[in-house]
Amino acid sequence: QGQLLAKSWSSLFGGQSGAALRAPIYSFNGRDVLADPLWPRRLAWHGSTPRGGHARQWDCQGWRSSGTAQGMASALGEGRLLAGHRHNCSTP
């Protein structure tokens, strides 16, 4: 409660270093995503380019569980939310 996630909107998404996530990030069921073993990949799915635009081919839109589509996601431990790499949309 009341923990600072980033100093500014631009520091959260931009720059070379991006935001260093130090505060816990909680799932909808109250689990700390950065520490809970039920979140082994710790990805932030966003479907965006590094500059924040829509990565149209990599957004998992229209994804089906049996498909092989890929979407853009960033590892939360990297500290750069929009750095992103393609991951299979079926990745938990």
Side-chain angles (χ1 to χ4, degrees), residues 64-86:
R64 301 293 182 263
S65 61
S66 62
T68 59
Q70 292 185 328
M72 296 299 285
S74 297
L76 292 172
E78 288 181 1
R80 293 184 60 206
L81 290 180
L82 295 183
H85 302 283
R86 291 187 307 233

Side-chain angles (χ1 to χ4, degrees), residues 7-74:
K7 290 183 180 182
S8 69
W9 183 258
S10 61
S11 73
L12 185 60
F13 297 109
Q16 293 299 315
S17 60
L21 300 175
R22 293 186 180 94
I25 298 174
Y26 295 102
S27 65
F28 290 107
N29 62 357
R31 295 182 179 272
D32 180 353
V33 173
L34 296 175
D36 194 293
L38 291 177
W39 293 81
R41 299 295 304 270
R42 294 175 177 89
L43 297 173
W45 292 88
H46 51 72
S48 298
T49 67
R51 292 187 174 196
H54 183 196
R56 296 184 198 289
Q57 293 179 323
W58 315 111
D59 65 2
C60 293
Q61 185 173 341
W63 167 80
R64 301 293 182 263
S65 61
S66 62
T68 59
Q70 292 185 328
M72 296 299 285
S74 297

